[in-house]
Amino acid sequence: MPFSKVKWLKWINTTLSYTTSYEWNQAPPAFESLGNRIQNSQDINVTAQLNLTQLYSQIPWLKNLEKPKKAPVAPGKKGAPASATPTKPDGDGGPSFNSAIEKGKEAPKANPAKIFVGNFVSMLKNASVNYQRKSGMELPGFAFRPDYFGNNFAHLQPGLGFAFGQQNPGLRYDMAKNGALKSDTRQPNFYSQNLNENFSGNITIEPIKNFRIRLDFTRGTVDGTRSIFKYNGTNWVDEGLTQVGNYNITGWFYKTHFSKDSNNNGDHPNPVFQQFLANRYSVAQELSLHDSRVNAIVTDTITKFPLGYSKFSQDVLINSFYATYSGKNPSSSGLSAFPKIPLPNWNINYNGLTKIKAIGSVFSNINIKHAYTGRYSIREYTRNLRYDSGQTPEMGKDFTSKYQIADVTISDGFYPLIGLNVTTKNNWTMGFEYKRSRVLKLFAAQFNMTEIRNNEFQLNAGYRVTGLTLPFRRNGRWVYLPNDFRFDLTVSVIDNVTAIRKIDLNVNRYSAGMQTIRISPSITYQVNQKINLAMKYNRNVMKPKTGVGFYTALTDFGLELRYMFN
């Protein structure tokens, strides 16, 4: 897009691409009655990048934010005669002065309040959005040969729209009506239409200098329709019509992330899971309230839930699962197994502490980080052929769901929850990270949920120096190592557990789990250009959380000598 040609819009960079393909395959001569096969594809890609920093540079107040405004000196003012000739700047681009006296004065500093307000106003630095849509259609039984552009102009089939990538779900019915498809009842080939749609974006925010926040969001859909579309001797029908797909979207689940399990004689209930079960009734009411098949909310005398939505209904379970683990109130939030609006994940970094004089005198770099990622996904769903939008509710029977969903997954984690990396001016590097993650997988048809949680703490330290004096003597002199010396230490504690939770059976047992502690120091010395000497130690301790595994401790120690051959 030509935004770069407009001065005030140069900060916008947008690209749009449209790609299509068309293919016609002739039927084998022995099976000409089955018709030819035609297929097309369409690929739309839109990308927009907004460089807000470039926009701010066009606004004088923000462009000169940290530059002090020099007070003008009147030509006739005492001490600055009109005939005074300004002195030359000390270098290219430096300030000019009206006199030597003025040059000797200290330059005024920028107003800190102005800088703070300006940085806050301009904290949005850049943003980008990408939308990609890939779709394709394949249709057997086409009766004609193409003339030009893939189209048969005598019969105007399949149409220039199809030849240039148009995706029309009703095209097969229109072509059958217009006689463009062979009516052989032996037609065995599949009609298919596929759609892959992805939407993603990111935003970078810097509210104060060196404090950067990046927000990322995505939503992806894969949808496919397939059937044997043929003439059955009376009508055109779709035999074995199926619609399958998967879905994923970023979301927020941090409100329930830190909930802890209890320990009740080997059973490990979790308050969020219990809330998920309790929320099913509110979810069933909400679904019933917005279902056009229900005239009024009536309690089913058999299930004791709203008519058409029992506590074991797929729609009730999935919507209660998503609402509960998102930390939402089911009665006040819109319910859908396919949420539309992606919520951003974030990544936060701050490395401005060394700007403080007392800290900067000791450390050359300090970086603090925090990040969160959350995602909701449906691995596979299938269009339910028994679904009826006009289904009449019956006592003791659930409405047939529009989609049969195998399982839904919520995965979220802090990568890390808190992390710190520092480098000192005397060659020490130190850092630690604390990470948390969990995966929640609901199997609605089996009425159970699997929860996998992982906590990890890691500490790293290192020292690098060329020329090291050791704290002991040899022949009356301190031992001195003139070459590169390196020390590294890694300490990590990893704690993971897998819990299986049975719906309404009061089963919350751990099926797997392990705590792993690792201590690994090492010392490396470069004796010369060809010889490298290393001393390493490694200690691993594994403590199982179930009766399946055994306590294990492994220790290894070794010396390593490397010789480089030229």
Side-chain angles (χ1 to χ4, degrees):
M1 303 293 285
F3 291 110
S4 60
K5 305 300 181 182
V6 182
K7 179 180 178 180
W8 283 96
L9 296 178
K10 287 184 178 181
W11 54 280
I12 302 176
N13 183 15
T14 304
T15 59
L16 171 64
S17 65
Y18 180 85
T19 306
T20 66
S21 67
Y22 172 80
E23 184 177 324
W24 178 88
N25 290 276
Q26 183 178 0
F31 300 97
E32 186 176 356
S33 64
L34 298 180
N36 310 299
R37 179 174 59 85
I38 57 175
Q39 67 181 45
N40 72 351
S41 68
Q42 179 189 82
D43 188 352
I44 301 174
N45 198 322
V46 182
T47 301
Q49 295 182 338
L50 310 179
N51 186 347
L52 279 303
T53 303
Q54 188 176 0
L55 170 63
Y56 303 143
S57 68
Q58 300 181 42
I59 303 174
W61 177 62
L62 294 175
K63 179 181 180 181
N64 303 317
L65 188 61
E66 298 190 16
K67 294 182 180 179
K69 186 176 181 181
K70 183 180 175 183
V73 179
K77 188 176 179 181
K78 186 177 180 179
S83 60
T85 303
T87 60
K88 294 182 179 180
D90 293 333
D92 294 340
S96 60
F97 303 92
N98 289 314
S99 67
I101 295 176
E102 183 182 341
K103 182 178 180 180
K105 293 181 180 179
E106 184 179 354
K109 295 182 178 180
N111 188 335
K114 174 185 174 183
I115 294 175
F116 176 81
V117 173
N119 285 335
F120 183 80
V121 171
S122 60
M123 65 178 177
L124 183 59
K125 300 303 180 183
N126 57 67
S128 67
V129 177
N130 177 257
Y131 174 75
Q132 187 177 50
R133 180 187 175 94
K134 292 184 177 181
S135 53
M137 183 185 298
E138 181 176 350
L139 180 63
F142 185 58
F144 309 120
R145 287 178 172 270
D147 295 327
Y148 305 101
F149 306 111
N151 192 47
N152 183 287
F153 286 93
H155 301 86
L156 300 178
Q157 296 294 336
L160 290 176
F162 182 88
F164 285 94
Q166 185 183 53
Q167 303 295 307
N168 178 9
L171 179 68
R172 62 189 187 279
Y173 301 109
D174 296 337
M175 294 180 66
K177 181 180 179 180
N178 295 326
L181 298 181
K182 294 283 190 178
S183 57
D184 193 323
T185 58
R186 298 171 299 169
Q187 161 67 274
N189 298 318
F190 281 97
Y191 155 81
S192 66
Q193 185 170 20
N194 302 303
L195 171 65
N196 190 333
E197 192 173 32
N198 289 286
F199 174 75
S200 62
N202 63 76
I203 300 171
T204 301
I205 303 171
E206 193 172 353
I208 61 175
K209 200 167 185 180
N210 300 310
F211 183 78
R212 188 164 288 247
I213 304 171
R214 179 185 170 97
L215 305 176
D216 296 274
F217 51 89
T218 62
R219 187 188 71 192
T221 303
V222 176
D223 190 60
T225 302
R226 190 179 185 187
S227 73
I228 297 179
F229 184 68
K230 67 178 184 178
Y231 188 70
N232 65 0
T234 306
N235 298 304
W236 287 90
V237 295
D238 282 298
E239 291 186 354
L241 177 65
T242 59
Q243 182 180 355
V244 298
N246 56 65
Y247 184 82
N248 69 85
I249 191 170
T250 53
W252 290 347
F253 311 99
Y254 60 87
K255 292 181 181 179
T256 60
H257 183 93
F258 296 93
S259 177
K260 295 182 179 180
D261 293 345
S262 302
N263 190 350
N264 184 14
N265 296 325
D267 196 62
H268 302 272
N270 185 280
V272 182
F273 181 75
Q274 300 303 321
Q275 187 62 48
F276 153 58
L277 299 181
N279 282 342
R280 287 179 296 173
Y281 190 84
S282 298
V283 169
Q285 282 186 316
E286 192 72 13
L287 291 172
S288 181
L289 183 64
H290 294 88
D291 194 329
S292 59
R293 294 171 293 185
V294 180
N295 296 324
I297 299 180
V298 178
T299 300
D300 191 318
T301 56
I302 299 176
T303 66
K304 309 303 181 183
F305 265 60
L307 188 63
Y309 292 101
S310 74
K311 61 181 180 180
F312 294 117
S313 165
Q314 174 189 281
D315 295 335
V316 171
L317 288 172
I318 292 176
N319 283 284
S320 180
F321 174 71
Y322 180 81
T324 303
Y325 283 93
S326 300
K328 297 179 179 179
N329 184 348
S331 300
S332 60
S333 60
L335 296 176
S336 173
F338 300 88
K340 300 298 182 184
I341 301 176
L343 300 175
N345 300 157
W346 62 79
N347 191 310
I348 301 174
N349 278 275
Y350 179 62
N351 59 359
L353 287 177
T354 53
K355 302 300 180 181
I356 301 174
K357 188 175 181 180
I359 298 177
S361 62
V362 179
F363 300 96
S364 58
N365 178 62
I366 299 177
N367 184 39
I368 302 173
K369 53 187 176 181
H370 163 78
Y372 173 79
T373 300
R375 185 175 295 273
Y376 167 80
S377 59
I378 300 175
R379 180 176 60 87
E380 182 178 314
Y381 63 83
T382 305
R383 180 67 179 263
N384 200 326
L385 298 180
R386 295 185 295 109
Y387 172 75
D388 181 7
S389 60
Q391 181 180 356
T392 302
E394 300 178 32
M395 289 290 179
K397 187 176 180 181
D398 289 331
F399 284 127
T400 301
S401 301
K402 185 176 182 179
Y403 298 103
Q404 192 68 37
I405 298 176
D407 58 73
V408 296
T409 303
I410 290 175
S411 59
D412 74 326
F414 295 89
Y415 305 99
L417 178 63
I418 182 65
L420 175 66
N421 291 306
V422 301
T423 304
T424 67
K425 291 194 173 181
N426 58 355
N427 300 321
W428 278 94
T429 59
M430 291 168 284
F432 77 88
E433 287 187 346
Y434 176 46
K435 301 177 182 178
R436 296 177 58 97
S437 65
R438 66 173 176 174
V439 177
L440 308 163
K441 187 179 288 290
L442 175 67
F443 301 90
Q446 287 78 35
F447 310 120
N448 69 63
M449 189 188 84
T450 301
E451 180 175 354
I452 303 173
R453 293 198 307 272
N454 187 76
N455 294 334
E456 179 180 351
F457 175 83
Q458 182 167 309
L459 173 68
N460 295 294
Y463 180 68
R464 310 285 189 276
V465 68
T466 299
L468 177 67
T469 301
L470 301 180
F472 52 84
R473 297 173 183 267
R474 178 184 175 186
N475 297 328
R477 296 183 179 181
W478 297 106
V479 176
Y480 178 74
L481 303 178
N483 296 326
D484 292 343
F485 174 87
R486 186 176 72 192
F487 167 76
D488 293 290
L489 171 66
T490 299
V491 178
S492 66
V493 179
I494 302 174
D495 192 300
N496 61 73
V497 66
T498 300
I500 296 177
R501 308 190 188 280
K502 300 286 186 178
I503 296 175
D504 287 340
L505 294 179
N506 294 323
V507 174
N508 296 273
R509 70 174 185 271
Y510 287 170
S511 61
M514 184 76 68
Q515 183 186 68
T516 304
I517 302 173
R518 180 190 174 210
I519 303 174
S520 180
S522 67
I523 296 175
T524 305
Y525 178 64
Q526 188 75 35
V527 179
N528 53 44
Q529 291 184 348
K530 293 187 176 182
I531 300 176
N532 184 286
L533 180 64
M535 182 171 59
K536 298 181 178 181
Y537 173 86
N538 190 43
R539 170 78 171 176
N540 279 295
V541 177
M542 291 168 281
K543 302 177 182 179
K545 293 190 174 183
T546 63
V548 177
F550 299 93
Y551 176 90
T552 307
L554 301 173
T555 303
D556 59 86
F557 172 81
L559 293 174
E560 182 181 274
L561 179 66
R562 293 185 181 182
Y563 184 85
M564 306 292 293
F565 292 93
N566 293 331

